[in-house]
Amino acid sequence: MFTVPFRAITVLCTIITYAFALPKPEPVPLAEEGITDFLIVEARDELGGRMRSAPFGEPGHQFTVELGANWIQGTQEGNGPANPILVLARNHNLSTAESDFFTSMTTYDQTGAVDYLDVFNNSVDAFTNLTVAAGARVPQSLVDLTARTGYSLMDQKPKTPQEKASEYFQFDWEYAQTPEQSSFVASSWGNNFTYNVDQGGFSGGNLFSIDQRGFKHLIQAEAAEFLNSSQVLLNATVSTIEYSDSAVSVTLTDGTKLNAKYAICTFSLGVLQNDDVRFEPALPGWKAEAIQSMTMFWFDTQYGLYADTERGRYPVWQGLDLENFLPGSGIVFVTVTGDYSERIEALSDAQVQSEVLGVLRAMYPNVTIPDPTAFFFPRWFSDPLYRGSYSNWPASFVTQHHTNLRASLGRLWFSGEALSEKYFGFLHGAYFEGEATGASVAQCLKGQGCAPLPHITKITNSVGYDV
Ligand SMILES: *[C@@H]1O[C@H](CO)[C@@H](O)[C@H](O)[C@H]1NC(C)=O
Ligand SMILES: *[C@@H]1O[C@H](CO)[C@@H](O)[C@H](O)[C@H]1NC(C)=O
Ligand SMILES: *[C@@H]1O[C@H](CO)[C@@H](O)[C@H](O)[C@H]1NC(C)=O
Ligand SMILES: *[C@@H]1O[C@H](CO)[C@@H](O)[C@H](O)[C@H]1NC(C)=O
Ligand SMILES: *[C@@H]1O[C@H](CO)[C@@H](O)[C@H](O)[C@H]1NC(C)=O
Ligand SMILES: *[C@@H]1O[C@H](CO)[C@@H](O)[C@H](O)[C@H]1NC(C)=O
Ligand SMILES: *[C@@H]1O[C@H](CO)[C@@H](O)[C@H](O)[C@H]1NC(C)=O
């Protein structure tokens, strides 16, 4: 996460740890430059950040399942550019399964299994068309629209539960929010730069981690190759960050004070939004505006598609008890996103389990569905270390806000997935941002043309959406 002679502090989320000192997949500045006097400050008892796993299932029959990041999204086509997470996975022999988002689908509604794959296929095309329409609009306009407006302009106006569930799968399930809540332009970037090879993306493929060491294994194994124990402080929660043009000082909840020349803050956007950490001086208005303008949502996992009359009510189901996944596990995942997930985080496990079983029984009307032997509902929003699982770009968040989200404050730098213009919300976004921030801070430390990231005082968005 970060690095600095004389102790720099990286805070909390460890997603980008590997970006700093590894010889693979690409040489990374800090280690290459011989910078070793740094400290990674991690609130949890292990590295991995939002790559978190847990054993799940009845006693004696447990499997490791992922609570956060679970996919390598966009892999590699031929000898084209490889997603760096794929490279790490290959280097550490991570077990993965091909996840086919579009052609391995069974559809259901409140009456049971009903084939509406024609409607589903139409929604796949409509989403592709949406990304094309957004791109066509960019050169002609300096302002964004919502993805909902984009769909409507194309005359895609889902009305039936089946149409809504299909659109949900294409859109909300990826961005964790509705088309109304999401940027037309940035949601298209989110697709293009990762999945669309013509646009610089890696590939249309997705690999699902089924590694029983947990997806986090690739972070921890990579860290073991270059970190020693004096460079990592676990179980250490940050309470205050004091910053200036000459130093940064971080105070932990146990009162420990760490001083550094530079620090890189990798808190999730949700943590920054919820004031869980105090900044001194208080964050300037332009920074606070940028932080509060982007959004943080959670989502858990994957393919049966269920159309309820209420949009977003337990729509996406994934069986893991499949050949190539976790055969014999008997595990089923269901995903909810956005406002619906916020609603159910307030419910008890028993209430959520009962709602989920109600839906499952509607999907299989002629099958007796027993109560599950184990039930698990991770609550990302309520967890003060995360406050959500990844970021989304709303229409009111303009490119200049994004510049300000990334901007450094004196010797305090920021990094993490939310700061990636091309890959926000993705694990590889965290990787690329970590790499870039590490390189910049290394240059500052070595006196080789330190270039703090500037901010824009007056947001006008006259710069448009060119990347
Ligand atoms: C760990 O790394 C630091 C920084 O390079 C170094 O000072 C220390 O001696 C190392 N400790 C061990 C046990 O290798
Ligand atoms: C962190 O805390 C966990 C339990 O809370 C404990 O098992 C572990 O030993 C601690 N690790 C360190 C490095 O302090
Ligand atoms: C991965 O597997 C290959 C072939 O089995 C082996 O040579 C290599 O050492 C393994 N690498 C790691 C990091 O486990
Ligand atoms: C939907 O698309 C899939 C593959 O893209 C195809 O195999 C299937 O036949 C299509 N189904 C319908 C009903 O159009
Ligand atoms: C997508 O665009 C193509 C090409 O313009 C068009 O033929 C097709 O009907 C569109 N599909 C949807 C669902 O909008
Ligand atoms: C997304 O990719 C399509 C090509 O599939 C392209 O036409 C469009 O301009 C791109 N959209 C954006 C917002 O860059
Ligand atoms: C469920 O059983 C009813 C009555 O036997 C039958 O009409 C219906 O087709 C069955 N539904 C499914 C999804 O098999």
Side-chain angles (χ1 to χ4, degrees), residues 342-404:
E342 206 169 344
R343 179 186 85 79
I344 70 170
E345 275 210 15
L347 304 181
S348 68
D349 275 12
Q351 285 171 303
V352 177
Q353 173 171 332
S354 133
E355 290 192 359
V356 166
L357 281 175
V359 171
L360 206 51
R361 286 173 180 140
M363 288 164 72
Y364 295 96
N366 295 353
V367 177
T368 304
I369 301 201
D371 283 346
T373 54
F375 177 82
F376 187 49
F377 172 40
R379 289 174 170 77
W380 284 95
F381 257 136
S382 325
D383 189 329
L385 300 186
Y386 304 99
R387 302 286 188 202
S389 72
Y390 59 84
S391 62
N392 186 34
W393 186 310
S396 57
F397 182 79
V398 302
T399 53
Q400 292 180 334
H401 282 130
H402 199 257
T403 300
N404 287 355

Side-chain angles (χ1 to χ4, degrees), residues 306-324:
Y306 167 70
D308 195 279
T309 46
E310 183 179 355
R311 193 179 184 284
R313 188 167 183 271
Y314 306 107
V316 182
W317 293 76
Q318 181 189 15
L320 294 187
D321 192 349
L322 299 168
E323 199 191 345
N324 301 327

